[in-house]
Amino acid sequence: MEAVEQFLEWVKESDNIVFFGGAGVSTESGIPDFRSVDGLYNQKYKYPPETILSHSFYRQNPEEFYRFYRDKMLCLDAEPNITHLKLAELEKAGKLKGIVTQNIDGLHQKAGSKNVMELHGSVLRNYCENCHTFMSAEDILHSEGVPVCPDCGGPVKPDVVLYEEGLNQKTLQDAVFYISHADVLIVGGTSLAVYPAAGLIDYYNGNKLVLINKSATPMDTRADLLIQDGLGNVFSRVEV
């Protein structure tokens, strides 16, 4: 497959790579994708996931939110897959400068990556809305109903960006900086349908935009290299 050979060559030659990834990075670790055929959007709940994971729903129905959240969002036994591990190796070798991720599972860090910009936050961080005391994901998983702060009894909210909420501006600025300065930008496992995240590739100024995704995206025509395959198949061939 010529495209993969070209990709491997670009990775080999560059020491300024940035990776921008979505749910498809973690599906091979057993974490469900939102929009794929067997993703969360096609499962049946009392409310659609997009409604449950919204700021207004969280405020109005916190118990229902947490029932779904514990059941579907806290995949704490998941382990990094070959893509996570190869990206961590590329960073350690000084070739990859940063990872911009839409995922909230913390698997990039678990694989050893250091410079990870989490656009949508992380399930591993949870804070009391009153006194900002930290609660771990395990604490949330083993709590019942709406988790409460062990210190002041206030409600605890996951540090994840819900629908209707804005992204963290510092994280967004960092992502723009790394993407705009990258030599090679690898975009993988994302439908490029969720904004403002999808708009980040507009900041890339280079001519080595690699798009790796199993299905078509609205940005396919903009890629300098398009690889329609699973990330694991492609990254398993990367030699660091």
Side-chain angles (χ1 to χ4, degrees):
M1 188 181 180
E2 282 179 33
V4 175
E5 296 300 329
Q6 179 68 77
F7 166 71
L8 297 173
E9 193 62 32
W10 284 356
V11 169
K12 197 173 171 182
E13 291 169 357
S14 178
D15 62 357
N16 185 5
I17 303 167
V18 170
F19 180 83
F20 174 39
V25 179
S26 292
T27 47
E28 290 175 35
S29 292
I31 293 180
D33 170 14
F34 269 69
R35 288 175 172 75
S36 66
V37 177
D38 51 357
L40 288 182
Y41 272 62
N42 293 288
Q43 297 177 13
K44 296 289 174 271
Y45 290 91
K46 199 171 166 186
Y47 304 91
E50 199 161 11
T51 300
I52 297 173
L53 296 173
S54 69
H55 179 83
S56 49
F57 189 92
Y58 168 76
R59 288 284 173 232
Q60 290 155 14
N61 304 280
E63 288 214 15
E64 188 72 17
F65 169 88
Y66 268 110
R67 195 173 299 131
F68 178 87
Y69 183 79
R70 286 188 189 93
D71 188 29
K72 291 293 172 191
M73 309 303 286
L74 292 180
C75 307
L76 304 183
D77 294 334
E79 291 296 332
N81 60 53
I82 188 71
T83 304
H84 296 110
L85 297 168
K86 287 288 186 180
L87 288 167
E89 285 178 32
L90 287 168
E91 183 187 45
K92 199 173 178 187
K95 297 174 75 60
L96 182 90
K97 298 306 181 202
I99 291 170
V100 180
T101 181
Q102 294 171 278
N103 296 339
I104 56 175
D105 51 46
L107 289 180
H108 284 296
Q109 291 92 328
K110 203 171 184 180
S113 291
K114 303 282 187 258
N115 189 23
V116 183
M117 289 149 269
E118 296 174 310
L119 295 173
H120 297 151
S122 172
V123 296
L124 303 182
R125 297 187 299 269
N126 307 274
Y127 297 99
C128 171
E129 294 200 72
N130 294 343
C131 72
H132 306 295
T133 293
F134 171 86
M135 260 182 100
S136 72
E138 284 82 6
D139 290 339
I140 300 292
L141 187 63
H142 299 303
S143 65
E144 289 183 13
V146 180
V148 293
C149 173
D151 290 353
C152 77
V156 173
K157 183 177 186 289
D159 187 16
V160 299
V161 179
L162 301 175
Y163 289 101
E164 306 163 352
E165 293 180 345
L167 302 192
N168 179 286
Q169 286 306 300
K170 166 98 171 62
T171 308
L172 208 48
Q173 286 163 6
D174 289 347
V176 167
F177 175 84
Y178 280 94
I179 287 172
S180 63
H181 287 81
D183 169 31
V184 177
L185 176 63
I186 305 167
V187 180
T190 169
S191 61
L192 291 170
V194 177
Y195 282 82
L200 284 171
I201 70 168
D202 292 342
Y203 292 96
Y204 177 62
N205 303 308
N207 59 359
K208 296 186 179 76
L209 172 59
V210 185
L211 196 46
I212 308 170
N213 203 48
K214 281 183 179 174
S215 52
T217 80
M219 308 285 190
D220 285 1
T221 53
R222 294 184 40 190
D224 298 299
L225 203 56
L226 183 64
I227 303 172
Q228 288 193 313
D229 197 357
L231 282 162
N233 290 341
V234 178
F235 271 88
S236 62
R237 296 183 58 186
V238 171
E239 290 180 14
V240 183

PDB file of all heavy atoms in Angstrom, residues 53-67:
ATOM      1  N   LEU A  53     -25.247  13.862  27.879  1.00  0.00           N
ATOM      2  CA  LEU A  53     -23.930  14.453  28.081  1.00  0.00           C
ATOM      3  C   LEU A  53     -23.919  15.960  27.797  1.00  0.00           C
ATOM      4  O   LEU A  53     -22.920  16.503  27.358  1.00  0.00           O
ATOM      5  CB  LEU A  53     -22.898  13.734  27.197  1.00  0.00           C
ATOM      6  CG  LEU A  53     -22.694  12.262  27.546  1.00  0.00           C
ATOM      7  CD1 LEU A  53     -21.795  11.582  26.530  1.00  0.00           C
ATOM      8  CD2 LEU A  53     -22.119  12.106  28.956  1.00  0.00           C
ATOM      9  N   SER A  54     -25.020  16.604  28.079  1.00  0.00           N
ATOM     10  CA  SER A  54     -25.091  18.058  27.897  1.00  0.00           C
ATOM     11  C   SER A  54     -25.100  18.738  29.262  1.00  0.00           C
ATOM     12  O   SER A  54     -25.480  18.136  30.276  1.00  0.00           O
ATOM     13  CB  SER A  54     -26.359  18.444  27.126  1.00  0.00           C
ATOM     14  OG  SER A  54     -27.510  18.205  27.916  1.00  0.00           O
ATOM     15  N   HIS A  55     -24.678  19.986  29.263  1.00  0.00           N
ATOM     16  CA  HIS A  55     -24.596  20.747  30.510  1.00  0.00           C
ATOM     17  C   HIS A  55     -25.971  20.897  31.161  1.00  0.00           C
ATOM     18  O   HIS A  55     -26.123  20.717  32.370  1.00  0.00           O
ATOM     19  CB  HIS A  55     -23.995  22.131  30.221  1.00  0.00           C
ATOM     20  CG  HIS A  55     -23.892  22.990  31.430  1.00  0.00           C
ATOM     21  ND1 HIS A  55     -22.837  22.897  32.319  1.00  0.00           N
ATOM     22  CD2 HIS A  55     -24.713  23.957  31.924  1.00  0.00           C
ATOM     23  CE1 HIS A  55     -23.017  23.768  33.303  1.00  0.00           C
ATOM     24  NE2 HIS A  55     -24.141  24.428  33.085  1.00  0.00           N
ATOM     25  N   SER A  56     -26.983  21.207  30.341  1.00  0.00           N
ATOM     26  CA  SER A  56     -28.324  21.430  30.911  1.00  0.00           C
ATOM     27  C   SER A  56     -28.898  20.136  31.495  1.00  0.00           C
ATOM     28  O   SER A  56     -29.534  20.154  32.548  1.00  0.00           O
ATOM     29  CB  SER A  56     -29.275  22.030  29.868  1.00  0.00           C
ATOM     30  OG  SER A  56     -29.237  21.311  28.668  1.00  0.00           O
ATOM     31  N   PHE A  57     -28.642  18.986  30.835  1.00  0.00           N
ATOM     32  CA  PHE A  57     -29.135  17.710  31.373  1.00  0.00           C
ATOM     33  C   PHE A  57     -28.426  17.390  32.691  1.00  0.00           C
ATOM     34  O   PHE A  57     -29.052  16.953  33.660  1.00  0.00           O
ATOM     35  CB  PHE A  57     -28.910  16.576  30.364  1.00  0.00           C
ATOM     36  CG  PHE A  57     -29.581  15.285  30.755  1.00  0.00           C
ATOM     37  CD1 PHE A  57     -30.863  14.989  30.320  1.00  0.00           C
ATOM     38  CD2 PHE A  57     -28.933  14.366  31.576  1.00  0.00           C
ATOM     39  CE1 PHE A  57     -31.498  13.806  30.686  1.00  0.00           C
ATOM     40  CE2 PHE A  57     -29.559  13.170  31.954  1.00  0.00           C
ATOM     41  CZ  PHE A  57     -30.849  12.903  31.508  1.00  0.00           C
ATOM     42  N   TYR A  58     -27.122  17.637  32.719  1.00  0.00           N
ATOM     43  CA  TYR A  58     -26.345  17.390  33.943  1.00  0.00           C
ATOM     44  C   TYR A  58     -26.915  18.197  35.109  1.00  0.00           C
ATOM     45  O   TYR A  58     -27.033  17.707  36.230  1.00  0.00           O
ATOM     46  CB  TYR A  58     -24.869  17.751  33.706  1.00  0.00           C
ATOM     47  CG  TYR A  58     -24.056  17.804  34.974  1.00  0.00           C
ATOM     48  CD1 TYR A  58     -23.645  16.628  35.604  1.00  0.00           C
ATOM     49  CD2 TYR A  58     -23.720  19.025  35.570  1.00  0.00           C
ATOM     50  CE1 TYR A  58     -22.922  16.674  36.786  1.00  0.00           C
ATOM     51  CE2 TYR A  58     -22.995  19.074  36.743  1.00  0.00           C
ATOM     52  CZ  TYR A  58     -22.605  17.897  37.353  1.00  0.00           C
ATOM     53  OH  TYR A  58     -21.896  17.933  38.525  1.00  0.00           O
ATOM     54  N   ARG A  59     -27.295  19.436  34.817  1.00  0.00           N
ATOM     55  CA  ARG A  59     -27.855  20.299  35.875  1.00  0.00           C
ATOM     56  C   ARG A  59     -29.251  19.830  36.310  1.00  0.00           C
ATOM     57  O   ARG A  59     -29.584  19.841  37.489  1.00  0.00           O
ATOM     58  CB  ARG A  59     -27.948  21.745  35.374  1.00  0.00           C
ATOM     59  CG  ARG A  59     -26.589  22.421  35.255  1.00  0.00           C
ATOM     60  CD  ARG A  59     -26.065  22.819  36.623  1.00  0.00           C
ATOM     61  NE  ARG A  59     -24.694  23.321  36.537  1.00  0.00           N
ATOM     62  CZ  ARG A  59     -23.685  22.886  37.273  1.00  0.00           C
ATOM     63  NH1 ARG A  59     -23.879  21.901  38.129  1.00  0.00           N
ATOM     64  NH2 ARG A  59     -22.476  23.401  37.165  1.00  0.00           N
ATOM     65  N   GLN A  60     -30.062  19.405  35.345  1.00  0.00           N
ATOM     66  CA  GLN A  60     -31.465  19.079  35.645  1.00  0.00           C
ATOM     67  C   GLN A  60     -31.663  17.640  36.130  1.00  0.00           C
ATOM     68  O   GLN A  60     -32.555  17.359  36.920  1.00  0.00           O
ATOM     69  CB  GLN A  60     -32.326  19.316  34.396  1.00  0.00           C
ATOM     70  CG  GLN A  60     -32.472  20.787  34.038  1.00  0.00           C
ATOM     71  CD  GLN A  60     -32.774  21.012  32.557  1.00  0.00           C
ATOM     72  OE1 GLN A  60     -33.133  20.074  31.841  1.00  0.00           O
ATOM     73  NE2 GLN A  60     -32.616  22.240  32.096  1.00  0.00           N
ATOM     74  N   ASN A  61     -30.814  16.720  35.615  1.00  0.00           N
ATOM     75  CA  ASN A  61     -30.976  15.284  35.954  1.00  0.00           C
ATOM     76  C   ASN A  61     -29.635  14.662  36.344  1.00  0.00           C
ATOM     77  O   ASN A  61     -29.168  13.732  35.690  1.00  0.00           O
ATOM     78  CB  ASN A  61     -31.532  14.508  34.748  1.00  0.00           C
ATOM     79  CG  ASN A  61     -32.829  15.081  34.236  1.00  0.00           C
ATOM     80  OD1 ASN A  61     -33.883  14.828  34.785  1.00  0.00           O
ATOM     81  ND2 ASN A  61     -32.741  15.857  33.166  1.00  0.00           N
ATOM     82  N   PRO A  62     -28.997  15.165  37.398  1.00  0.00           N
ATOM     83  CA  PRO A  62     -27.654  14.670  37.726  1.00  0.00           C
ATOM     84  C   PRO A  62     -27.596  13.169  38.007  1.00  0.00           C
ATOM     85  O   PRO A  62     -26.631  12.509  37.641  1.00  0.00           O
ATOM     86  CB  PRO A  62     -27.233  15.494  38.944  1.00  0.00           C
ATOM     87  CG  PRO A  62     -28.503  16.066  39.500  1.00  0.00           C
ATOM     88  CD  PRO A  62     -29.434  16.208  38.343  1.00  0.00           C
ATOM     89  N   GLU A  63     -28.649  12.612  38.607  1.00  0.00           N
ATOM     90  CA  GLU A  63     -28.634  11.165  38.898  1.00  0.00           C
ATOM     91  C   GLU A  63     -28.632  10.337  37.626  1.00  0.00           C
ATOM     92  O   GLU A  63     -27.885   9.372  37.501  1.00  0.00           O
ATOM     93  CB  GLU A  63     -29.839  10.783  39.779  1.00  0.00           C
ATOM     94  CG  GLU A  63     -29.688  11.281  41.194  1.00  0.00           C
ATOM     95  CD  GLU A  63     -30.295  10.332  42.228  1.00  0.00           C
ATOM     96  OE1 GLU A  63     -30.581   9.174  41.881  1.00  0.00           O
ATOM     97  OE2 GLU A  63     -30.475  10.773  43.379  1.00  0.00           O
ATOM     98  N   GLU A  64     -29.490  10.739  36.670  1.00  0.00           N
ATOM     99  CA  GLU A  64     -29.562  10.033  35.383  1.00  0.00           C
ATOM    100  C   GLU A  64     -28.242  10.196  34.624  1.00  0.00           C
ATOM    101  O   GLU A  64     -27.741   9.265  34.000  1.00  0.00           O
ATOM    102  CB  GLU A  64     -30.731  10.592  34.559  1.00  0.00           C
ATOM    103  CG  GLU A  64     -31.037   9.834  33.282  1.00  0.00           C
ATOM    104  CD  GLU A  64     -31.671   8.468  33.523  1.00  0.00           C
ATOM    105  OE1 GLU A  64     -32.165   8.209  34.634  1.00  0.00           O
ATOM    106  OE2 GLU A  64     -31.646   7.660  32.582  1.00  0.00           O
ATOM    107  N   PHE A  65     -27.676  11.399  34.691  1.00  0.00           N
ATOM    108  CA  PHE A  65     -26.378  11.665  34.063  1.00  0.00           C
ATOM    109  C   PHE A  65     -25.331  10.700  34.608  1.00  0.00           C
ATOM    110  O   PHE A  65     -24.594  10.058  33.853  1.00  0.00           O
ATOM    111  CB  PHE A  65     -25.939  13.116  34.324  1.00  0.00           C
ATOM    112  CG  PHE A  65     -24.504  13.394  33.942  1.00  0.00           C
ATOM    113  CD1 PHE A  65     -24.184  13.793  32.649  1.00  0.00           C
ATOM    114  CD2 PHE A  65     -23.475  13.242  34.866  1.00  0.00           C
ATOM    115  CE1 PHE A  65     -22.851  14.033  32.284  1.00  0.00           C
ATOM    116  CE2 PHE A  65     -22.145  13.481  34.514  1.00  0.00           C
ATOM    117  CZ  PHE A  65     -21.836  13.874  33.224  1.00  0.00           C
ATOM    118  N   TYR A  66     -25.265  10.591  35.920  1.00  0.00           N
ATOM    119  CA  TYR A  66     -24.232   9.752  36.538  1.00  0.00           C
ATOM    120  C   TYR A  66     -24.457   8.264  36.304  1.00  0.00           C
ATOM    121  O   TYR A  66     -23.511   7.491  36.225  1.00  0.00           O
ATOM    122  CB  TYR A  66     -24.096  10.059  38.034  1.00  0.00           C
ATOM    123  CG  TYR A  66     -23.035  11.113  38.274  1.00  0.00           C
ATOM    124  CD1 TYR A  66     -23.364  12.389  38.698  1.00  0.00           C
ATOM    125  CD2 TYR A  66     -21.696  10.823  38.032  1.00  0.00           C
ATOM    126  CE1 TYR A  66     -22.385  13.351  38.897  1.00  0.00           C
ATOM    127  CE2 TYR A  66     -20.711  11.784  38.222  1.00  0.00           C
ATOM    128  CZ  TYR A  66     -21.058  13.037  38.660  1.00  0.00           C
ATOM    129  OH  TYR A  66     -20.079  13.979  38.836  1.00  0.00           O
ATOM    130  N   ARG A  67     -25.718   7.866  36.161  1.00  0.00           N
ATOM    131  CA  ARG A  67     -25.998   6.459  35.857  1.00  0.00           C
ATOM    132  C   ARG A  67     -25.379   6.104  34.500  1.00  0.00           C
ATOM    133  O   ARG A  67     -24.714   5.086  34.340  1.00  0.00           O
ATOM    134  CB  ARG A  67     -27.513   6.237  35.833  1.00  0.00           C
ATOM    135  CG  ARG A  67     -27.917   4.766  35.883  1.00  0.00           C
ATOM    136  CD  ARG A  67     -29.425   4.619  36.021  1.00  0.00           C
ATOM    137  NE  ARG A  67     -29.928   5.228  37.244  1.00  0.00           N
ATOM    138  CZ  ARG A  67     -30.957   6.068  37.313  1.00  0.00           C
ATOM    139  NH1 ARG A  67     -31.613   6.415  36.214  1.00  0.00           N
ATOM    140  NH2 ARG A  67     -31.354   6.579  38.451  1.00  0.00           N
TER     141      ARG A  67
END
